[in-house]
Amino acid sequence: MRNENEEEKLTPEDFERVTIDAHHSERIEKPSLSFWQDAWLGLRKNKAAIVSMVVLLLVILMALIGPYLNGHAGDSQNLRHANLPPKIPGIEATGFFDGDGKLAGKTVNLYEMKKVDEYYWFGTDGLGRDLFTRLWEGTRVSLFIAFVAAAIDMVIGVAYGGISGYFGGRTDDIMQRVVEILIGIPTLIVVILMIMIMDPGITAIIVAITITGWIGMSRIVRAQTLKYKSREFVLASRTLGAKDGKIITKHLLPNMLGIIIINTMFTIPNAIFFEAFLSFIGIGLQPPAASLGTLINDGYKVMENQPYVLLFPAIVISVLMIAFNLIGDGLRDALDPKMKD
Amino acid sequence: MSDNLIEVRNLKQYFNAGKSTEVRAIDDISFTIKRGETFGLVGESGCGKSTTGRTMIRLYDATAGQVLYNGVDVHAPKSKKENHELNRKMQMIFQDPYASLNPRMKVLDIIAEGLDIHGLVKGKTDRKQRVIDLLEIVGLNREHAERYPHEFSGGQRQRIGIARALAVDPEFIIADEPISALDVSIQAQVVNLLKELQVEKGLTYLFIAHDLSMVKYISDRIGVMYFGKLVEMAPADELYRNPMHAYTKSLLSAIPLPDPIYERSRVRHPYNPKDHQYGPDEKVEFREVAPEHFVLCSEKELAEMQATHV
Ligand SMILES: Nc1ncnc2c1ncn2[C@@H]1O[C@H](COP(=O)(O)OP(=O)(O)O)[C@@H](O)[C@H]1O
Ligand SMILES: [Mg+2]
């Protein structure tokens, strides 16, 4: 209960009018950040993604310069130097990578036995080719295939999905029926047919990967286009008289870019893996060309006696897959529109 | 020139016409908007108000009927220049302040979009200056130009949307529930801004709302919509004093007042279309009950209404 006396003591003088400056209330203190700056801040906090990016950059760097580092050419055969285990200067003293290998069940130093003076860091294969050089050449080819395939997937997928979603109606109906038919055919059959028609090689593999690979991207882009094209900011742009081209480049694409990038980040490792798979089952690259897939296939054949042939390409492909996936995850967390306004 | 800026004649908008999913969003409505006035369009959610606005501004093609702007049919084929000119004269303010600004664009570019499309500025500095002027007109300031929409409050965003519409110097603005997503304290701010702008620039408004509470303050005339049809249309005071259609009465009974004594006795009258009990051969038409006051009714109802009209 209030005390009545106290209430009576209040006089108009006790009250002071507070005026809020209208301009003050409109002020925004926060520094202005664009969507991308904000996303970068988010990504930077994700340690796994940052470490993955560093590792990925190192692998890419090695793919570029690795083949020239030790003076051996990847395709020079030397049967006298065949099946040598890894031997790395400096580390050999520790007992690892010292050139010891098994011969008829006994451990011997094959370099001394065969009187080889050179060092083969990751050993040699059955034809005496330097595996270190071949590993990075193969990585380069695998990455190249993956990047090109992902880029083509992206271009076709974005264009197809964008057109289908933006123009809608009959166009959309027809285009979506085509997609449904393509999806109905098992990828592997399409790929094997493609490779039978074309000469096996990098081009054939890229075509094989992209021929159905763009569908995922096109579906995502179509859904995004449908979502954004009826947003009020797009309607506002149309009432101002903007043309379709302007609406697509200024309003739709910038809003979808995040999702396109995320999806591409997951396409790349899939392409790497798919290429390796094709090469492993023998319908991919043909010798003497190397890719991670063919190297793993070579290593798999001699897994029991020369495990190092399998070991290094397997490590590289695993690292690539993990790195791309972690970066993709990090990007998704940083760019996902659902977590922002 | 007649003093009707807008004339809507028997406008129909059927979505998915002919299919089982057909929606008659607008079913034969006619009204006019005089130059310089505010026409309020009221009705519950989903009755076709937005569709009416969007069809008028050519976001949708009409199924049937006409929209005349200054005597020119807006949906008829036109030269590029005429289209461009019409785009400039009719503008729209949207309902959802969070969806109506592109989150990837700076306020500067959002507001300047119309300036760019219509080539209204010469050079970068002129462009920026125009945007700053527009920001100040709507009560924001120059430092807001370099920011992104997500940094603003709903009311501020709505004012940015208003600035974007004003940039091209329109004559007619369709405001599609511009305040229904805002806090009550902010609503008055935006409504007052719209009113000031109307006086300053001689604008004509179509003001869409889903309840009558705010509309009555800013509209000169009001049309009440129910399921794609106009059921009543009258000058604002007349509509308040003499609501005739049962649906209008129901809408009016839903407005709360800050008056406890009135509130205690306020009864909401729900509207049930079956209450009309129209016979099978009764013609239900839009009829003039009193000067300027139209009601969708049958002949019998017309006589009753005219008898009770004061
Ligand atoms: N593009 C569209 N396609 C199909 N139906 C629509 C479309 N836009 C609106 N509608 C339907 O038309 C009716 C009227 O919608 P709308 O004009 O948005 O109502 P309001 O603005 O009065 O809330 C609703 O039933 C809605 O579902
Ligand atoms: Mg609406």
Side-chain angles (χ1 to χ4, degrees), chain B residues 15-16 23 25 43-52 60 176-177:
Chain B
F15 291 112
N16 309 325
V23 178
E44 67 197 65
S45 259
C47 72
K49 307 176 302 288
S50 298
T51 307
T52 307
Y60 304 144
D176 186 1
E177 305 204 33

Side-chain angles (χ1 to χ4, degrees), chain B:
Chain B
M1 242 192 259
S2 83
D3 54 343
N4 283 338
L5 184 65
I6 298 281
E7 237 176 281
V8 175
R9 289 188 187 157
N10 304 101
L11 189 66
K12 290 183 189 173
Q13 179 61 268
Y14 297 174
F15 291 112
N16 309 325
K19 293 187 198 154
S20 60
T21 51
E22 183 177 277
V23 178
R24 301 192 167 186
I26 316 177
D27 201 1
D28 197 356
I29 63 171
S30 303
F31 59 90
T32 58
I33 305 178
K34 295 196 188 74
R35 205 176 292 281
E37 83 169 347
T38 300
F39 185 87
L41 189 60
V42 185
E44 67 197 65
S45 259
C47 72
K49 307 176 302 288
S50 298
T51 307
T52 307
R54 289 176 182 188
T55 308
M56 287 169 71
I57 204 164
R58 302 186 295 174
L59 282 172
Y60 304 144
D61 291 323
T63 306
Q66 287 177 313
V67 177
L68 304 185
Y69 183 89
N70 246 334
V72 179
D73 184 351
V74 301
H75 291 107
K78 276 183 217 42
S79 74
K80 225 180 192 171
K81 198 161 157 260
E82 287 167 323
N83 266 326
H84 226 52
E85 195 60 8
L86 206 53
N87 282 332
R88 212 165 66 72
K89 285 181 179 160
M90 297 171 89
Q91 274 304 307
M92 190 148 182
I93 300 167
F94 293 88
Q95 171 172 8
D96 183 353
Y98 291 88
S100 61
L101 307 177
N102 184 345
R104 300 285 178 276
M105 277 164 88
K106 281 185 177 169
V107 168
L108 175 72
D109 298 311
I110 291 175
I111 296 179
E113 188 172 6
L115 299 174
D116 299 340
I117 291 171
H118 294 277
L120 300 177
V121 284
K122 309 179 274 299
K124 263 212 159 94
T125 43
D126 187 21
R127 182 174 183 262
K128 177 130 196 210
Q129 192 50 50
R130 280 296 301 278
V131 170
I132 290 170
D133 293 346
L134 286 159
L135 279 171
E136 280 165 0
I137 289 175
V138 298
L140 297 168
N141 54 55
R142 57 168 60 234
E143 65 129 343
H144 292 136
E146 297 295 333
R147 292 182 173 273
Y148 289 88
H150 67 89
E151 301 170 54
F152 294 86
S153 68
Q156 289 174 321
R157 284 166 178 238
Q158 205 54 301
R159 282 183 275 156
I160 294 168
I162 294 173
R164 168 177 59 195
L166 289 178
V168 293
D169 241 333
E171 295 174 339
F172 174 56
I173 292 183
I174 298 172
D176 186 1
E177 305 204 33
I179 54 170
S180 56
L182 304 180
D183 275 3
V184 179
S185 57
I186 308 292
Q187 289 186 350
Q189 228 180 47
V190 172
V191 167
N192 288 338
L193 173 65
L194 288 173
K195 274 175 136 177
E196 278 166 32
L197 290 171
Q198 180 166 43
V199 176
E200 246 167 68
K201 301 183 184 283
L203 295 169
T204 306
Y205 288 138
L206 172 67
F207 192 94
I208 298 175
H210 62 257
D211 66 47
L212 276 160
S213 52
M214 198 51 105
V215 183
K216 63 180 181 188
Y217 294 110
I218 55 162
S219 308
D220 299 297
R221 287 187 310 128
I222 295 175
V224 179
M225 222 174 153
Y226 183 74
F227 271 90
K229 289 191 192 312
L230 270 180
V231 295
E232 186 159 5
M233 179 166 73
D237 319 342
E238 165 76 8
L239 192 85
Y240 276 88
R241 268 185 289 121
N242 279 314
M244 301 221 175
H245 196 277
Y247 181 64
T248 314
K249 288 179 185 164
S250 142
L251 276 183
L252 280 170
S253 77
I255 305 178
L257 287 184
D259 174 356
I261 299 167
Y262 165 85
E263 279 298 297
R264 204 166 299 152
S265 58
R266 178 166 70 96
V267 220
R268 292 201 56 171
H269 307 292
Y271 173 65
N272 183 354
K274 291 204 184 84
D275 291 344
H276 291 291
Q277 300 196 324
Y278 293 127
D281 48 345
E282 264 183 305
K283 256 186 122 181
V284 183
E285 278 180 341
F286 212 46
R287 301 164 198 268
E288 193 161 16
V289 177
E292 290 279 291
H293 191 159
F294 299 82
V295 181
L296 184 75
C297 60
S298 63
E299 201 105 34
K300 205 172 87 204
E301 284 177 314
L302 178 71
E304 285 167 16
M305 286 176 193
Q306 275 172 330
T308 56
H309 186 267
V310 275

Side-chain angles (χ1 to χ4, degrees), chain A residues 20-306:
Chain A
I20 297 172
D21 182 7
H23 270 274
H24 230 71
S25 67
E26 307 290 3
R27 271 187 60 151
I28 302 173
E29 298 290 351
K30 240 179 69 179
S32 177
L33 287 180
S34 79
F35 174 76
W36 298 106
Q37 288 167 320
D38 206 31
W40 171 237
L41 286 184
L43 188 61
R44 236 170 43 180
K45 288 202 202 95
N46 188 330
K47 288 210 181 64
I50 295 297
V51 171
S52 300
M53 282 208 289
V54 173
V55 169
L56 181 61
L57 283 177
L58 284 178
V59 174
I60 292 174
L61 185 72
M62 284 309 287
L64 294 175
I65 63 167
Y68 314 111
L69 284 186
N70 64 359
H72 297 294
D75 54 0
S76 70
Q77 304 182 0
N78 184 344
L79 285 180
R80 213 166 58 77
H81 291 185
N83 293 329
L84 287 171
K87 186 177 180 194
I88 303 177
I91 304 181
E92 57 188 322
T94 65
F96 296 106
F97 301 116
D98 55 0
D100 281 355
K102 284 208 177 82
L103 196 68
K106 275 182 286 176
T107 303
V108 284
N109 192 315
L110 292 170
Y111 282 72
E112 283 166 13
M113 220 181 78
K114 296 191 178 179
K115 299 201 175 56
V116 179
D117 292 333
E118 290 118 311
Y119 286 83
Y120 289 100
W121 295 346
F122 286 179
T124 59
D125 63 9
L127 297 172
R129 292 176 297 195
D130 177 38
L131 283 176
F132 182 84
T133 306
R134 276 179 74 73
L135 173 66
W136 299 119
E137 280 177 359
T139 308
R140 184 196 290 178
V141 169
S142 283
L143 282 174
F144 176 78
I145 290 175
F147 280 125
V148 173
I152 295 176
D153 274 1
M154 183 172 83
V155 171
I156 299 180
V158 169
Y160 197 95
I163 291 171
S164 182
Y166 189 76
F167 293 103
R170 272 206 103 61
T171 322
D172 187 38
D173 282 345
I174 294 169
M175 291 176 87
Q176 288 315 300
R177 292 303 87 73
V178 172
V179 163
E180 276 156 26
I181 291 168
L182 280 178
I183 279 197
I185 308 170
T187 315
L188 206 53
I189 292 185
V190 180
V191 170
I192 291 171
L193 284 178
M194 281 312 305
I195 288 181
M196 278 167 66
I197 299 168
M198 298 172 70
D199 290 337
I202 292 182
T203 326
I205 292 183
I206 291 176
V207 171
I209 294 177
T210 49
I211 200 153
T212 55
W214 55 271
I215 290 177
M217 178 68 92
S218 88
R219 292 190 148 182
I220 288 171
V221 169
R222 175 173 172 270
Q224 290 286 309
T225 310
L226 288 176
K227 170 174 141 194
Y228 281 113
K229 80 167 181 180
S230 55
R231 279 282 166 97
E232 291 183 342
F233 64 81
V234 174
L235 298 183
S237 180
R238 282 171 56 195
T239 64
L240 284 166
K243 301 206 176 57
D244 289 340
K246 265 270 160 59
I247 290 177
I248 291 169
T249 54
K250 281 197 126 166
H251 294 292
L252 300 182
L253 281 180
N255 279 287
M256 301 190 304
L257 205 54
I259 269 188
I260 294 174
I261 291 174
I262 293 167
N263 196 49
T264 305
M265 279 329 264
F266 288 113
T267 317
I268 293 173
N270 285 346
I272 292 176
F273 191 76
F274 197 58
E275 180 279 321
F277 169 70
L278 291 180
S279 298
F280 185 75
I281 63 173
I283 56 174
L285 281 192
Q286 303 300 317
S291 74
L292 288 175
T294 60
L295 292 175
I296 287 173
N297 189 18
D298 292 346
Y300 170 73
K301 288 175 196 152
V302 296
M303 191 163 65
E304 273 176 44
N305 290 322
Q306 285 109 21

